[in-house]
Amino acid sequence: MTETALGSGTAMQVAGRIIDRVPPGRLVPVSVAAAVAGFGLFTVQLSADASYWGLCATMLLMGAGGGATMMPAMTAATRGLSHDEAPAASTTVNLITTTSGAAGLAGASVVLSALMNGLVPDGADSEGGALQAVHGMSPQDHAAIAGPLAGAFRHTYLFALALLALALIPALLLPRHDTK
């Protein structure tokens, strides 16, 4: 996860500096597309024996794409508003982001739970569910389900990828020309 934070933090700094020169309708769709590409590449290569460095590279791209959307989206939401209206717009964007993230995470956890049901012996009966039961498995049992378990995570990431791709819709509606 360090790679995602590194990509995100760096991209936020760059995007924050260029948003006054590049309209949000040009920057945000490219940033969302980069995040979708990173997430897609991560999902495609996710397997029990996936390359650690390959996954790290895709997480860096995913973080950069996500990070480069934050400042421009906030700028687009508040640009042109009066000094009194800007705090409400900023709060609204943060509430939408937080609520959407929570709903997406809840949906992904339901998908993963459903996909893991039956993969892990006694997973449904475990106090923490199937994922907690994986932690208590022997190395041999863990190795036996590694492939199907990676498949469950891959399919869950496909769900999240579809949700992330939906972010392209509002990104494409942002102004593509300077509106200052």
Side-chain angles (χ1 to χ4, degrees), residues 8-180:
S8 180
T10 303
M12 279 195 297
Q13 293 298 315
V14 172
R17 286 185 173 90
I18 66 171
I19 190 57
D20 287 331
R21 294 179 301 225
V22 178
R26 294 184 189 270
L27 182 59
V28 175
V30 172
S31 302
V32 172
V36 168
F39 214 93
L41 290 169
F42 180 86
T43 302
V44 167
Q45 64 179 314
L46 186 60
S47 66
D49 57 351
S51 162
Y52 174 76
W53 294 108
L55 292 173
C56 288
T58 61
M59 290 172 71
L60 187 68
L61 179 60
M62 196 185 330
T69 62
M70 292 179 202
M71 293 303 289
M74 190 67 71
T75 301
T78 58
R79 184 174 278 164
L81 296 178
S82 72
H83 184 62
D84 293 336
E85 295 171 321
S90 175
T91 301
T92 301
V93 170
N94 282 324
L95 282 171
I96 291 170
T97 302
T98 303
T99 304
S100 300
L105 183 60
S109 67
V110 168
V111 169
L112 182 60
S113 258
L115 291 171
M116 286 182 66
N117 193 19
L119 285 180
V120 181
D122 302 325
D125 299 331
S126 174
E127 186 174 315
L131 194 55
Q132 189 63 36
V134 170
H135 293 293
M137 294 174 70
S138 70
Q140 297 81 11
D141 290 340
H142 192 270
I145 67 161
L149 191 60
F153 275 89
R154 188 174 42 255
H155 285 91
T156 302
Y157 280 119
L158 285 172
F159 169 78
L161 179 62
L163 292 178
L164 183 58
L166 289 175
L168 282 169
I169 296 168
L172 291 170
L173 297 175
L174 291 170
R176 288 190 183 89
H177 301 288
D178 201 2
T179 57
K180 287 190 235 178

